[in-house]
Structures are given as C-alpha cells and as structure tokens.
Amino acid sequence: MPQELTAPVAEFLELLDPAQLRGRLNAGEDRIPLFRAAIENANEELDSRFRDGDDIALLVRSRAHFIDQIMALAWEQFPWPDQKNISLVAVGGYGRGELHPHSDIDLLILTRNDRVAGYKACISNFLTLLWDINLEIGQSVRSLKQCKQEAKADITVATALMESRTLAGPPELRDEMEKLTSSKRIWPITQFLRAKWDEQIARHDKYYDVDYALEPNIKSSPGGLRDIQTIAWVAKRQFGARNFHDLVDLGFLNASEEAIFDKGQKFLWTLRYGLHLLSGRREDRLLFDKQKELATMLGYSDDDMSLAVEKLMQRYYQVVASLRELNDVLLQHLDEAILRAKEKEKLVPINKRFQIHNGYIEARNSNVFKRFPFALIEVFVLMAQNPAIQGVRASTIRLIRDNRQLVDEKFRNDIRNTSLFMELLRSDHMLTLQLRRMARYGILGRYLPEFGRITGKMQHDLFHIYTVDAHTLQVVENMRRFLLPDAEEKYPVAAHIARNLPKLELLYIAGLYHDIAKGRGGDHSVLGMDDAEAFCRRHYLSEWDTRLVCWLVQKHLLMSMTAQRKDISDPEVIHEFALAVGDKLHLNYLYALTVADICATNPNLWNAWRAALLRQLYLSTKRVLRLGLENPLNREERIRDKQQSALLKLQDRGMDETSIDRIWENAADEYFVRESVANICWHTESIHEHTGDGPLISVKDTVENPIEGGTQIFIYMPNKEYLFANSTAAFEKLNLNIQNARIFTSANGYCMDTYTVLENNGKPVGERPDRIAQIRKVLLDHIQNQKSYVPPVSRKPARQLKHFSQHVEAELINNPDKPYSTLEINCPDRPGILASVGKIFAENHINLMDARITTLGERVEDLFYITGADNRPIVDTTLAAELTTEIKERLEERFAS
C-alpha cells in the first residue's frame, strides 16, 4: 500500500491481470507490444471512467497501482545479479501513490553500495524498455550513502525520498535508506520546517503571492496542490503521519479541516486530470483555451448571469482560497509549536477578551466568541489600532473559523458590530490587511453577504486581471497608498486630494461597493448603489454621507469614460461633466475613486497618458466649478482666449506677430478649440523654423508637462489620402502605441497631425536621440512612399489573444450639437487595426478629425471623430450602414488571415 499523505482509499481498480501478462511474457511473446497494449487499455478505462464522473481519488491511485504492477513485471524481465543489494523504489508523487495521465513516474534504483558496474547492463536495458513502452519516467541511480549525501545537500531530494515505496527487490534497502535520511540524521524538524516554509514563500512570490491569477498553476500557485503537500511533508517529518486522518487522531487537524483538504485536493485533482487529457501531455497551467474546454468537459454551462468558464474559475478561486487559508493556519501553528517553542512567553493583556502573546493577538479563552460574538470584529479593530500586533495566533484563527457561523442577520444589525466595523474603516493602521484577514477567515463575506457573493468571481478577459473580491480590496489598498509619502511622486493629484478629504471612510465604502453587484445581470452601478445605501443606513451614516457614497458607486465609471472617450479639450464636454459632478468635493472623491479603481483593475492600465487625461479633466473641471457653472465660456471666447495666450508666449520667445498670423491664417477654428495652448505654440514655432520642402516631423516628450504625459509627434505636410493609414503603419513598425490622434487640415491643404504615443512599457520615448532619429526615419519612409498605401507589418498575435472572440463591433453615432460623426470600433487587439481603418477612410473619402485609442485587455475600444467628403457629419443611414459593414468585414477578414 502507498504511504500516502492524504485521505486513504480502500480499493484500487484492477486494470491488469499480472499473472496472465507474466505467463505471456514467459511464453516468449514480444514484450513491447504486450506492455503497450496493457497500458493503452488501462488508460482508456481510466479516462472513460473520468469522463463518466468516477471518484477522482480512486482513478489517480488506481493508475499508480497499475503502474506498480507494470514496473514489477518489467523488472522481472532482466537477470539482476546480486538481487539482495538492489531494488526499485517509487519516489515523489508516484511514491505517494498518485499518478495523473501524464505525470512523471519518478523512480529510484537503489543499491546497497557504490559498486554498480555489475548492474549497468540490466539498468540500461530496464530503462530502455520503459521508454520503449512510452512511459514518462524520471529516474536516478543512487547507493544508500549517495542518498544520504544528496538528501543532506538538497531539501527537494530529502522530501522526495520521504515519499517512497519499494516496487521490486528487497524492501529492507528502502527501510535502511529511510533511517539514513530521517530527521535524526539530516534535516531536523526545525530546519526542515524553515526550509519548506521558505520554499513555499519563494514559490508564492513567483506568482506574485496571489491565488487569483488569470492562468493559475494548479500545482504551484498559492493554494495549489503543492501547498497541501507542504503541510503533509512537515506533518510526516514531525509526527510520522501517513495521511491527514492520522493528523486528526493526533489533534493537529480537526475533522472539518480534514474535509477541506480532502475536497480541495479532489477538485484540484479533477482539474489536473482533465488538463492532462485535453493537452495530451503533462500540463498544470489553467491556460485560457483549456479553461473553456475544461468547463465544458466538467459539465458547466453558460447562463444569463455568467459564462461556464467563469463558474468553473470562481469555484477554483474559492477552493484555493480555503486551502491557502488552512495552509496559513497550520504553518503558523507549526511555527508556534516548533520554531518558536523555546521563546520566552510574553503576555500583554489588552482587555477581558484578548491579549498579545509574543507579538500575536490571542483570545484569552476558547469561549470568547461564543460569549461575546462582537469580538469577531473587535479582534480586527484591535490589530488596526495597534501596530505592534504582528498577526493572529493560530489557535485564535481556528476559533474565528469555528465560530464564524455566528455572523447572521441579527449579528449584522447589532449596533455594537456596526459601530466596530465603522471604527475599523476609520483606523490608521493597515486597514486593507485587516479587511483581507477578515475575508480570508470567512468573516467579511458573512458580515457583508453581498461581498461573499463576489468572492472568487472572475471575468473571462485580459482586462480584469483580478477576481472581483480581490479587485475590490485592491481598490481600498490603493486608496490607502495615496496617504503614503511616496504617493506624491506617482499619484500627485490623488495624494493631495486623499489627505484633504473630510471623511476617508466614505471613500473606502464606495470602494467596497463600486463593483459589488458584478455578475447579477443589469447595471452593476445601479444595483450596487442600492446595496451601498442599505449598508450606509445599517451603519447609521448621515443622509448627506449616504447620498455621497451612493452617488460615487453609481457614477464610479463617469470620470474614466469621459477622459478616455470624449474630447476633454472641448469646453462643452467639460461643462457637461462639471454639471454631472456638481461641486469640488464630489469631484475630489470621484477622482480618488477613479484612480484607485483603474490601478486595481490592471496595473498596466495606469500609464503616463491615462494619468494625464484624468489630471487634465480634473483641473479643467475644477476651473469651471470655480468660475461657476452658470457662466461657461462660449466657443468664440475660448478661441480668442487661447490665441491671445499663445500669441503672448510666442512673442516672449522672439516670434513676431506677422509671422504668427501668417501661420494661423490657414488654421481652422476647430484647431484652436481642440488644441492646447502649449501645442499651438509648439506647432507654430516648428512650422516657422522648418526649412525645405519635405514633411516636418517634430517629436516632443511631454511627461513633465503638468497636464499631459507621453510623447507627441507632430506631422506637417501636404495632405494625402493615405496619410493616416501610413502614419499608423509606421508607428506599428516602431512598436509605439498610439494613445491619441488629432488630425487637422489647414485651408492651404496642409495636414497638422499630432499623435500621442507611448513605448510598449507604457512610458514616453524620453530623451533618446537615436530612438527619435529612428522614429523620424521610419515615419518619413512611410509617408513619402511612392505607393499610395503601405501595408502594416504582420505580427503573430500573443497566445492568449487567440482564445477570445474575434467579433468586431462598429457603430456610427451622430450628435446634433457636434459638427462631426463619432465612429466607435470595438474589436480584438491585433496589429494593424488603425492602418486598416485608415485605408478604409481614404478609400471612402472620409476625413478624420480626432481619434481616441483605448486598449482594454484583449480588446480595443477606439473612437474616431469623422466627417464625409463634404466636411459634414455622415447622416445618411445607408452610407453609415455601408461604412460600418465594410469595417466589420475587412477587420474580421484580417483577423482570420
């Protein structure tokens, strides 16, 4: 029987008749076809049973048992000399008696001494046979002495040898090896535990210490199979436990914890088995394409609320969260019992319910939570108020877990508990850490049931890289970061705002509730507002505070959508936004929530350009609010104001008014409405200084500008039909990501195009003369090309992008107050999109005035402000339908090629 470290299974499936196969081998039949046929039959039987839903533990152990029989028969095929001094031993996962379809079969050929010359031929022939019958083996040949040496030098080897079983040969050899590598000889329990814990920390760090990765590794990610095995290894080393049930008998685990391990392991085994079948090889990563296939294989289905794959992944995240929680508790218990066993006990009373025990908070008796249920929240408040407390004692974590069912409707409405929770939100010390502890120990999802419903909920895309619950807590953490000294550099506006908000707890509540209704169907902003209002009333917030929180939840997307999808240089857009905000206090709260939300959705979203857009929108709106909403600047006043400001700056730099007027006389009014004063000055100076007949290309890094961030590239030349298409193809070749494009054509037929771009790392080009020279050269090559159209470079899309919808949406929108039409394109993020769209514009004689380019994970949402050949909005419904249809067909054709 395997010495497994998990709940034992009483039986195996009998997949082979060893006596019959031995008889045929002894009769002289070709052994390779015989073994292969036996293995193929067993695989078919096991895989069929898996698809039929048989017990996964039975299948995993039956496969190992079957391979045991194959190994024993294969070993018999060779005339081993001195058989008392050599044996075949299963180690590692196979040694535990666990095998998935394509798991490595780890073998140790163990000898009594270092003299193996007499065995070489048999060893070579034996291993060759295993390869010939298509077994995936990992093998080593070691003597007893070498086993001890290798195990002493490498904790991984020591661990693998702990999980060993004799498959053939004398079992006494393995018994002797076990003694030589025991904790009495090498790796005493204190060193072993410390090494395994450090190993786990390093493994978790590799996955950024998150258990909600988009494409997690079932084996190695936090909360994965390796975390279960870590507890099992330490328990076996310390207690000699053969399985988790032994740990229950020893009092180290309770029955409910054993059940969590057992159910969690079976679920992860099911996923791993399915992955191996789908991949046809060893694969432990839940890659996007396999997530969908696995969800179908395991019987999940789409409905109106969520996709099948989202249901599967939510289940995965919930399982690994519970396993990681239990892993943390047990490792801390071992830490206290083993690593800290010799520490001098220091107890500091806090109140009648809690004390600090060697730096960790501890319940003063086991009935604390039964007698005082409010202590289930109080314990987190005390930690938030006392920076000296390092964490919670393992025994107290267990008490919290065992009593969390006390958090019911009566508990949630008890004024002692609501007061404590508000006290927690107003605390100064590591608020987010306490909220995460509440979530991990099962309190937060019970105290806020609406939060419990989003636990583990994911969206199957590359835009939202966190589960909804993890994103929510990250939003609150970002809000706390705004208060740190170093926040002034990365988030200057948000840092200033956060430190001056009258009630920070209102911002945190809005953060907790802004996405609380995701996955329910309907508008999550509106549904979330209802939940937020219920929370505020239950916690006795004032009417004004309640209205502010509800407004923030309902409008939490307003600022980012305005900044990214509208022309915020347009005074009308700013005035409309200012009307929606109403006053500076609402603007401040909304800005802080927006920045925290964007950074917590996907860290790659926050770049210099997005920061600049929000900063510009904030400052422009603040100015309008200061001047008064009832007195907005009209268009003519705006133009005069900008021209006068730019004129004075240019004259200060030595330009005369006549030269300035000569350049400006050809520029349309729209140019002065939509361009900034800084850009008007830059363009004017560049044109004035330009000599020669060729195109003018000016590159300016604007990262230090107080309202912009990125690299701007200005092109001034006679207008050409395919200029936009060829320019964007050049940027594609340069690996520059376009964030914004402003396109103007002057009265004398010259284009005045300004592109804002970022490098692939989300940063401006910077002061790099070689890179700037390269940009100029590639641009000139493309825009001066004799061909009318230069096709964009062809690049292979990233692996992850292949597994999402290739659907293209195109919609033309006309606003009666605007002198242009708005074309919205929503499609997969692929190379060459802008160049393809530009080609369509040129072929249909469409004028592009402005463009907003937004990448959201695996998709892009691009806005183009366009007019027809007559420089008017495209209002003809037939022409509009033809244009959108052509765009969809041409882009989908490109994606398919």
Side-chain angles (χ1 to χ4, degrees), residues 754-773:
T754 305
Y755 296 88
T756 303
V757 300
L758 294 174
E759 297 281 13
N760 272 341
N761 61 5
K763 296 180 180 179
V765 171
E767 296 296 328
R768 294 188 289 158
D770 291 347
R771 177 62 165 158
I772 293 171

Side-chain angles (χ1 to χ4, degrees), residues 295-315:
T296 301
M297 175 184 279
L298 298 180
Y300 292 88
S301 58
D302 298 346
D303 58 32
D304 293 339
M305 296 297 185
S306 56
L307 300 174
V309 65
E310 293 172 347
K311 294 175 184 177
L312 169 69
M313 293 308 294
Q314 181 169 19
R315 174 67 178 144

Side-chain angles (χ1 to χ4, degrees), residues 298-455:
L298 298 180
Y300 292 88
S301 58
D302 298 346
D303 58 32
D304 293 339
M305 296 297 185
S306 56
L307 300 174
V309 65
E310 293 172 347
K311 294 175 184 177
L312 169 69
M313 293 308 294
Q314 181 169 19
R315 174 67 178 144
Y316 166 81
Y317 294 127
Q318 290 170 341
V319 166
V320 296
S322 64
L323 288 172
R324 187 175 183 188
E325 173 198 347
L326 188 50
N327 171 274
D328 288 348
V329 173
L330 296 177
L331 280 179
Q332 188 166 321
H333 178 74
L334 290 165
D335 175 43
E336 294 167 5
I338 298 171
L339 298 183
R340 299 170 181 263
K342 296 182 180 179
E343 278 187 358
K344 185 178 179 181
E345 190 173 73
K346 182 180 179 182
L347 301 176
V348 179
I350 299 176
N351 55 32
K352 292 181 179 180
R353 293 169 294 282
F354 296 102
Q355 62 189 10
I356 302 175
H357 185 160
N358 289 4
Y360 288 77
I361 196 167
E362 179 180 60
R364 298 186 71 168
N365 65 71
S366 60
N367 292 318
V368 161
F369 298 115
K370 285 187 173 69
R371 293 183 59 198
F372 308 103
F374 66 83
L376 286 166
I377 294 182
E378 181 190 24
V379 62
F380 301 102
V381 176
L382 292 172
M383 285 190 286
Q385 294 174 341
N386 190 338
I389 300 175
Q390 300 172 40
V392 190
R393 292 278 290 184
S395 57
T396 301
I397 295 174
R398 271 189 162 140
L399 287 175
I400 293 171
R401 286 162 45 83
D402 291 344
N403 288 279
R404 55 193 176 189
Q405 77 281 353
L406 296 173
V407 184
D408 54 15
E409 191 64 22
K410 180 181 177 182
F411 181 101
R412 288 187 281 271
N413 288 288
D414 189 319
I415 193 169
R416 290 173 296 182
N417 300 324
T418 57
S419 299
L420 280 168
F421 192 74
M422 289 306 300
E423 194 174 342
L424 175 64
L425 293 180
R426 297 184 181 111
S427 301
D428 295 328
H429 180 64
M430 294 188 176
L431 166 63
T432 318
L433 176 60
Q434 311 317 325
L435 289 174
R436 285 198 168 108
R437 282 174 172 152
M438 287 184 74
R440 182 160 290 179
Y441 303 155
I443 300 300
L444 188 60
R446 283 174 168 80
Y447 183 69
L448 304 176
E450 53 272 28
F451 185 87
R453 288 194 287 272
I454 61 170
T455 299

Side-chain angles (χ1 to χ4, degrees), residues 625-642:
L625 292 171
R626 187 170 63 247
L627 293 174
L629 291 171
E630 68 281 1
N631 295 309
L633 280 176
N634 63 33
R635 182 182 175 88
E636 290 73 23
E637 289 173 334
R638 179 74 169 169
I639 291 172
R640 283 198 300 272
D641 182 60
K642 281 192 177 180

Side-chain angles (χ1 to χ4, degrees), residues 478 481-482 486-496 595 599 606:
N478 289 342
R481 284 178 179 169
F482 296 156
D486 60 358
E488 293 180 4
E489 182 177 348
K490 189 172 183 181
Y491 311 106
V493 179
H496 174 76
V595 175
C599 295
W606 189 252

Side-chain angles (χ1 to χ4, degrees), residues 864-878:
F864 302 92
Y865 303 104
I866 59 177
T867 61
D870 58 357
N871 293 316
R872 296 174 182 273
I874 304 170
V875 294
D876 186 298
T877 54
T878 302

Side-chain angles (χ1 to χ4, degrees), residues 100-329:
H100 289 264
H102 295 281
S103 295
D104 282 343
I105 301 167
D106 293 324
L107 300 172
L108 166 65
I109 297 177
L110 181 62
T111 63
R112 191 173 299 279
N113 52 55
D114 297 341
R115 296 189 297 274
V116 296
Y119 300 120
K120 279 188 176 180
C122 285
I123 291 174
S124 176
N125 292 334
F126 172 69
L127 296 176
T128 299
L129 173 61
L130 299 185
W131 294 325
D132 286 343
I133 61 177
N134 300 325
L135 291 180
E136 301 172 42
I137 62 167
Q139 79 286 344
S140 60
V141 181
R142 294 193 186 109
S143 67
L144 291 171
K145 180 181 177 182
Q146 288 170 333
C147 284
K148 181 179 179 181
Q149 290 171 339
E150 292 290 331
K152 187 175 182 180
D154 188 342
I155 186 72
T156 306
V157 174
T159 306
L161 295 181
M162 282 170 52
E163 302 176 304
S164 59
R165 298 174 296 114
T166 300
L167 301 173
E172 296 81 13
L173 274 180
R174 193 205 68 85
D175 295 341
E176 194 170 339
M177 180 268 292
E178 188 175 52
K179 292 176 184 176
L180 289 171
T181 57
S182 69
S183 59
K184 294 180 181 179
R185 305 291 182 92
I186 60 171
W187 293 104
I189 187 58
T190 52
Q191 293 180 18
F192 187 84
L193 172 57
R194 184 70 267 167
K196 289 317 246 182
W197 204 342
D198 289 343
E199 193 179 80
Q200 176 171 294
I201 291 169
R203 187 175 68 253
H204 286 189
D205 285 347
K206 181 181 176 183
Y207 296 95
Y208 304 103
D209 200 30
V210 296
D211 42 23
Y212 40 77
L214 283 177
E215 294 184 308
N217 186 302
I218 292 171
K219 187 174 179 180
S220 303
S221 287
L225 290 167
R226 191 63 85 203
D227 282 7
I228 298 176
Q229 291 155 7
T230 295
I231 294 297
W233 291 328
V234 176
K236 182 172 186 182
R237 196 78 173 176
Q238 171 70 351
F239 304 116
R242 294 171 300 122
N243 50 58
F244 283 129
H245 190 69
D246 285 353
L247 297 179
V248 175
D249 294 339
L250 290 165
F252 179 72
L253 279 182
N254 59 42
S256 64
E257 290 169 340
E258 181 193 15
I260 290 172
F261 272 133
D262 186 49
K263 291 178 182 177
Q265 179 171 254
K266 284 183 176 180
F267 177 75
L268 294 179
W269 274 358
T270 300
L271 296 184
R272 193 179 188 206
Y273 198 113
L275 275 178
H276 283 206
L277 286 189
L278 292 171
S279 304
R281 57 183 172 81
R282 183 165 62 97
E283 179 58 85
D284 297 325
R285 297 169 301 164
L286 267 171
L287 302 177
F288 277 112
D289 57 327
K290 294 298 182 285
Q291 290 175 15
K292 285 187 174 182
E293 293 180 55
L294 200 55
T296 301
M297 175 184 279
L298 298 180
Y300 292 88
S301 58
D302 298 346
D303 58 32
D304 293 339
M305 296 297 185
S306 56
L307 300 174
V309 65
E310 293 172 347
K311 294 175 184 177
L312 169 69
M313 293 308 294
Q314 181 169 19
R315 174 67 178 144
Y316 166 81
Y317 294 127
Q318 290 170 341
V319 166
V320 296
S322 64
L323 288 172
R324 187 175 183 188
E325 173 198 347
L326 188 50
N327 171 274
D328 288 348
V329 173

